[in-house]
Amino acid sequence: LSRRKKDDSALHSLEYRSQMHKAGRSHSVGSLGGSSSLGTFHVPVRGMVKSYSVAADGTVSNLTPAQMGRQELYQLVPFAAVMGMQRVERDISEAFAELAADMDVKEQKNLSSREREQRRSRASMIILDELEFESVVVTTPLVFAILIAAMSQFLVGYNTGVMNAPASVVFPGHSTVSWSLAVAAFAIGGPFGAIIGGRMADQRGRRGALLIDTWTFLLGGLMQTFALDMFTIIVARFIIGFASGYSSVLVPIYLGELAPPTLRGTLGTLTQFAMVIGILISDLLAFSFATESLWRVLFAVTALTAAAQLLLSPFLLESPRWLLGRDPRSLKARYIIKQLRGMRYDHEVESEVENFILGGAAQRSESVSQWAILSEMVSHSKLRMLFASSLILQMAQQLCGINAVFYYSTSFFEGVIDNPLVGTTIVGAVNVLATYVALLLMDRCGRRTLILWSAGGMFCSCMIIILALLHYFSKTWALVAVNSYVCFFEIGLGPIPWLIVAEMFDAKYVAVAMSACSQLNWACNFIVGLGFPYMNKYLGPYSFLPFAGVLAATFMFALTVLPETQGTTPEELATELVRNASSGVLYEVNPDSVRAIDDEWRKAMEQIQHEEDADMQNGTYEYGFKPITEGDEQDEP
């Protein structure tokens, strides 16, 4: 261990924490019991104890710090899978770990200042390690749920881009009006699907609603594949748009209710990638199938994907939260939880059942009127400001013209580059890469900052597009500017309007706020889808000028009005957790915990030393520099 000596300040470093996570996980759930070596929480609510778990022998015990932390996560993290929410999950876990460690140290009477600081750091890391353990445990039933849900989001993206390339080959001779209606019908059906999707999810269950959505995609895909005229295409696009709006509401709820809180942001990111990959696949397939004889194959992908979803549906599980909301004693819910979490013992399942019930109660039951929640949001000044900001950003997300690119980029690139399909495909690929960049930036930058960079960058891109089309620059600059326009969209105006709803509102308001935002988003999507062909026809090189105006207004709004929307700070989270803890929470220290946590730490350090010794023997140890090999020595002058 002499090789691993560090001073006390290193206990707080991120590097040291990652080392603790690497070796400590196997011991934190071992014979010492991880955070159970610290103490237990006892929380009375309305005269009854809410925080307990039933042991295998039927006795009742208090919750360990990690178990109590999981309850807090279930109550504070919304039951929705939203891209970029990983930071919220991590902040809550860290805030609780620090709070529990502070409560533990206060109960230790015979420790020096140095020993108290060491214990606080070690206890915090052990608790945090246990809380984050769920984020690396993914069971087969959860994988199937992610796969099937991701296929729905793939179809949303695919049908966003599939009409882009074959505009000139689908029933040649069609009018601009009929094609514009066919494209925009997708956005007309969207808001209706969003409304019905939420209701069906409550009435038929999440699984039943998802199957209805899949059948709807299948119907729309078959109608579009075997269409006899443009009218049939328009009707099919409406049906597919309905299914897409339905999916945009249902999939985040379904995955959020299946996954543990520490995985919801990750799953939201995966479904977002499924959607942008769907756009890219529609562009790639257009090279082979966007012809007068094969365009039906492009539309058949929707029906084939929906059919594959139906074949996988026997592996699809119902949401345990929905089942427990209807019957807290549901045996089916307990069986599903056992499968989803990979649990072996009934007392573990009962503890997780309690987390679902408490989390559902904290986030308001479905029996409460949505109008009542909406009225509460509008009447409260701070909530009203956040709600108005959310709606304005949803309008900006669509009226900035991003879907004009995904709907019509092929026709826009005609005359700009030799093969417009190449330009469209490059845009689709850049869109996927930019989504990954956005994921990295959302962990490091404030939400308002990203909106400012996004709106400003898109505005500059619009101006370059206009100038290139007016021949002030070469037309290649128009292609470059369109791609930079998409990049700037993905780092800000793409994910942030949805993320701030999940981040800034209390969990009980999230569902209603997202529903209202979804309706407005689809309405603005329809305006752009229907109007851009006429803008391109009558404004010519100035077709992006209205979008530039929207972006300039968005930049000024973000600069002067929009509050920083990065979410609750760690300090605010700690204050909220302390306030919750002050209402009757009792922490009982384990009398043997001083020695136990030292043993826990010693074993973790021994494990690190053992792993490093094995790496050195195998020649795989990371020294922080590249070792000199014999070949390198021969190359020396």
Side-chain angles (χ1 to χ4, degrees):
L1 287 174
S2 60
R3 201 168 55 243
R4 304 295 299 174
K5 283 185 178 179
K6 296 178 180 288
D7 56 26
D8 290 341
S9 63
L11 293 171
H12 298 288
S13 71
L14 186 60
E15 178 184 2
Y16 203 61
R17 175 173 292 181
S18 66
Q19 291 167 346
M20 173 61 194
H21 287 176
K22 179 182 177 183
R25 176 168 287 118
S26 61
H27 299 291
S28 66
V29 294
S31 59
L32 292 174
S35 65
S36 63
S37 63
L38 302 175
T40 54
F41 283 91
H42 182 83
V43 185
V45 176
R46 297 179 182 175
M48 299 180 64
V49 177
K50 83 166 183 181
S51 295
Y52 65 89
S53 59
V54 181
D57 60 1
T59 60
V60 177
S61 60
N62 295 326
L63 286 180
T64 68
Q67 290 171 330
M68 186 68 187
R70 289 190 186 99
Q71 282 196 358
E72 295 292 345
L73 282 166
Y74 268 89
Q75 294 179 64
L76 295 175
V77 178
F79 282 99
V82 180
M83 178 182 175
M85 208 164 58
Q86 293 94 321
R87 183 167 187 163
V88 177
E89 300 160 357
R90 187 169 59 250
D91 286 347
I92 294 173
S93 297
E94 291 177 354
F96 178 82
E98 293 293 337
L99 172 63
D102 287 340
M103 295 177 71
D104 178 77
V105 169
K106 287 178 182 178
E107 297 294 328
Q108 308 297 330
K109 306 299 183 185
N110 300 317
L111 298 179
S112 66
S113 297
R114 182 176 180 275
E115 289 172 336
R116 292 168 70 87
E117 184 60 28
Q118 283 185 335
R119 181 179 176 86
R120 178 183 290 107
S121 297
R122 294 172 178 179
S124 174
M125 291 181 193
I126 289 174
I127 296 169
L128 185 61
D129 184 76
E130 284 197 62
L131 291 177
E132 293 181 346
F133 181 64
E134 285 183 327
S135 64
V136 297
V137 177
V138 181
T139 60
T140 301
L142 185 58
V143 169
F144 274 106
I146 296 168
L147 175 63
I148 297 172
M151 291 170 75
S152 291
Q153 291 301 92
F154 169 86
L155 287 178
V156 175
Y158 184 85
N159 284 284
T160 297
V162 74
M163 299 291 283
N164 197 333
S168 60
V169 298
V170 177
F171 299 117
H174 58 70
S175 66
T176 302
V177 174
S178 62
W179 190 256
S180 298
L181 284 174
V183 173
F186 178 78
I188 299 175
F192 291 101
I195 294 173
I196 301 300
R199 294 178 180 176
M200 294 302 294
D202 292 340
Q203 295 174 7
R204 302 295 297 271
R206 304 342 185 194
R207 181 182 186 275
L210 193 58
L211 290 177
I212 293 172
D213 186 46
T214 304
W215 280 106
T216 307
F217 269 122
L218 180 61
L219 174 62
L222 290 173
M223 286 185 63
Q224 195 170 16
T225 302
F226 299 105
L228 300 177
D229 51 31
M230 282 302 301
F231 178 77
T232 311
I233 295 283
I234 293 171
V235 174
R237 286 283 293 175
F238 175 85
I239 294 173
I240 293 173
F242 178 93
S244 298
Y246 194 111
S247 175
S248 66
V249 170
L250 178 61
V251 169
I253 294 174
Y254 177 69
L255 290 182
E257 293 183 353
L258 259 61
T262 50
L263 266 179
R264 290 171 192 166
T266 301
L267 297 190
T269 301
L270 290 176
T271 55
Q272 178 67 20
F273 270 106
M275 187 163 65
V276 296
I277 289 172
I279 296 174
L280 176 61
I281 294 299
S282 70
D283 297 334
L284 293 172
L285 292 180
F287 281 98
S288 300
F289 301 115
T291 65
E292 291 189 19
S293 59
L294 295 175
W295 59 264
R296 295 181 188 274
V297 177
L298 281 176
F299 296 154
V301 171
T302 298
L304 292 173
T305 305
Q309 284 182 280
L310 291 175
L311 291 175
L312 292 172
S313 62
F315 301 99
L316 196 62
L317 298 176
E318 182 55 87
S319 160
R321 186 197 175 199
W322 183 78
L323 291 170
L324 291 170
R326 295 168 66 88
D327 179 13
R329 298 181 179 84
S330 171
L331 295 178
K332 184 177 181 180
R334 284 161 172 79
Y335 175 72
I336 290 173
I337 289 173
K338 197 169 186 177
Q339 288 185 296
L340 287 173
R341 301 291 186 266
M343 294 174 171
R344 298 176 59 189
Y345 303 110
D346 289 343
H347 71 277
E348 295 176 323
V349 175
E350 290 302 322
S351 179
E352 193 72 355
V353 166
E354 186 185 9
N355 291 338
F356 272 103
I357 293 175
L358 291 173
Q363 299 185 29
R364 196 73 66 94
S365 67
E366 287 85 352
S367 59
V368 179
S369 168
Q370 291 193 356
W371 286 108
I373 299 176
L374 186 61
S375 299
E376 185 178 345
M377 293 168 59
V378 173
S379 60
H380 192 287
S381 59
K382 182 179 179 180
L383 291 175
R384 183 169 61 248
M385 179 61 190
L386 292 175
F387 188 47
S389 298
S390 300
L391 294 177
I392 290 172
L393 289 180
Q394 292 291 338
M395 293 175 62
Q397 185 191 68
Q398 290 299 328
L399 296 182
C400 72
I402 188 64
N403 275 325
V405 174
F406 295 133
Y407 289 157
Y408 300 110
S409 62
T410 300
S411 59
F412 174 78
F413 283 135
E414 289 180 359
V416 176
I417 59 177
D418 294 335
N419 188 346
L421 274 180
V422 173
T424 296
T425 305
I426 292 173
V427 170
V430 167
N431 188 36
V432 175
L433 295 175
T435 300
Y436 177 72
V437 173
L439 179 63
L440 301 179
L441 289 176
M442 283 191 290
D443 256 1
R444 294 169 173 79
C445 303
R447 312 315 188 204
R448 178 172 173 267
T449 302
L450 289 176
I451 290 292
L452 287 170
W453 276 100
S454 180
M458 291 178 74
F459 174 82
C460 293
S461 300
C462 283
M463 300 310 297
I464 294 175
I465 292 171
I466 293 170
L467 292 174
L469 295 178
L470 289 172
H471 307 294
Y472 287 98
F473 304 124
S474 68
K475 291 185 177 182
T476 304
W477 278 100
L479 176 62
V480 173
V482 168
N483 282 283
S484 68
Y485 172 88
V486 171
C487 285
F488 280 113
F489 173 81
E490 287 297 348
I491 69 169
L493 279 174
I496 299 302
W498 296 109
L499 178 59
I500 65 169
V501 177
E503 241 181 22
M504 293 304 300
F505 289 102
D506 287 344
K508 62 184 180 181
Y509 300 117
V510 169
V512 174
M514 279 196 165
S515 177
C517 288
S518 179
Q519 304 302 312
L520 183 60
N521 188 284
W522 279 106
C524 295
N525 189 340
F526 166 72
I527 292 172
V528 172
L530 184 64
F532 183 74
Y534 296 96
M535 292 166 58
N536 194 31
K537 179 178 180 180
Y538 294 107
L539 295 180
Y542 297 98
S543 58
F544 271 70
L545 189 60
F547 301 145
V550 170
L551 290 164
T554 303
F555 183 89
M556 293 307 299
F557 170 77
L559 184 66
T560 59
V561 179
L562 185 68
E564 176 51 65
T565 57
Q566 193 168 348
T568 308
T569 65
E571 293 76 14
E572 291 170 336
L573 282 170
T575 301
E576 182 176 353
L577 291 171
V578 169
R579 184 171 59 250
N580 293 340
S582 66
S583 58
V585 173
L586 300 177
Y587 179 78
E588 299 174 359
V589 69
N590 182 349
D592 301 323
S593 64
V594 175
R595 177 61 183 273
I597 193 173
D598 288 339
D599 289 342
E600 190 94 19
W601 192 263
R602 176 180 56 79
K603 287 194 174 186
M605 294 300 101
E606 288 176 354
Q607 177 70 10
I608 291 176
Q609 183 185 12
H610 176 75
E611 291 180 0
E612 290 184 349
D613 288 342
D615 289 343
M616 288 180 180
Q617 292 177 3
N618 296 331
T620 58
Y621 181 72
E622 293 289 342
Y623 290 91
F625 57 87
K626 183 180 179 181
I628 298 176
T629 63
E630 293 183 2
D632 295 331
E633 292 175 347
Q634 295 174 359
D635 293 338
E636 292 292 329

